[in-house]
Amino acid sequence: MSTTSFDVSRELARLLEEGAITMKALEAMTGIDHVRLRKLLVVAPAAVGMDSSPAVLTGHEAARLSALVAQLTEASGIGDDDRLRATLESLTGALHLTPGNIARLTGLSTDVVQTVLAGDRPLSSDEKYVVAIRCSYLVNAANLARPR
């Protein structure tokens, strides 16, 4: 078994360099000021052992940024069924909506919502489209309601 290290700064720099994301978009997504994000890109990796230099990000910010960069880095390899399930899981997990809430807010049947969440059976392309477009609208509505 081998393990590979995920270098958040290096992957973030690559995503920015390739134009996959802009600094402005990254700042909007994370709420982390672009000045601090740029510092993260130029900070040399800490030597093995203790490091007394001030941290660029808080632990919570670093965790959120790491998760985002990992998801963006792996995005192209994720299948549509998994993406759709992740969208619904964000509605249930992060936003605390129940499958019934999602069904009522989107006009979907509770059975379809639960099928996507459970991954019990594949949906047709048409079914996936309807679920995706309706749930993405709900995600957008929730994001617009969050404090900025």
Side-chain angles (χ1 to χ4, degrees), residues 88-99 101-102 146:
L88 269 74
E89 286 173 349
S90 71
L91 292 170
T92 59
L95 300 179
H96 306 286
L97 294 172
T98 66
N101 297 145
I102 295 167
R146 289 188 171 180

Side-chain angles (χ1 to χ4, degrees), residues 17-81:
E17 183 179 308
E18 292 174 354
I21 193 166
T22 65
M23 188 60 75
K24 186 174 183 176
L26 193 60
E27 184 177 15
M29 286 180 195
T30 64
I32 302 169
D33 181 75
H34 70 275
V35 173
R36 292 174 52 228
L37 288 168
R38 288 196 192 283
K39 282 183 185 177
L40 179 70
L41 297 174
V42 296
V43 170
V48 175
M50 295 179 59
D51 183 9
S52 63
S53 60
V56 176
L57 302 176
T58 67
H60 182 67
E61 290 170 331
R64 287 187 297 112
L65 183 63
S66 294
L68 176 64
V69 171
Q71 287 178 316
L72 295 177
T73 299
E74 298 299 320
S76 65
I78 298 171
D80 290 342
D81 291 339

Side-chain angles (χ1 to χ4, degrees), residues 132-145:
I133 202 74
R134 291 181 186 189
C135 288
S136 68
Y137 185 84
L138 194 52
V139 169
N140 185 56
N143 284 336
L144 290 173

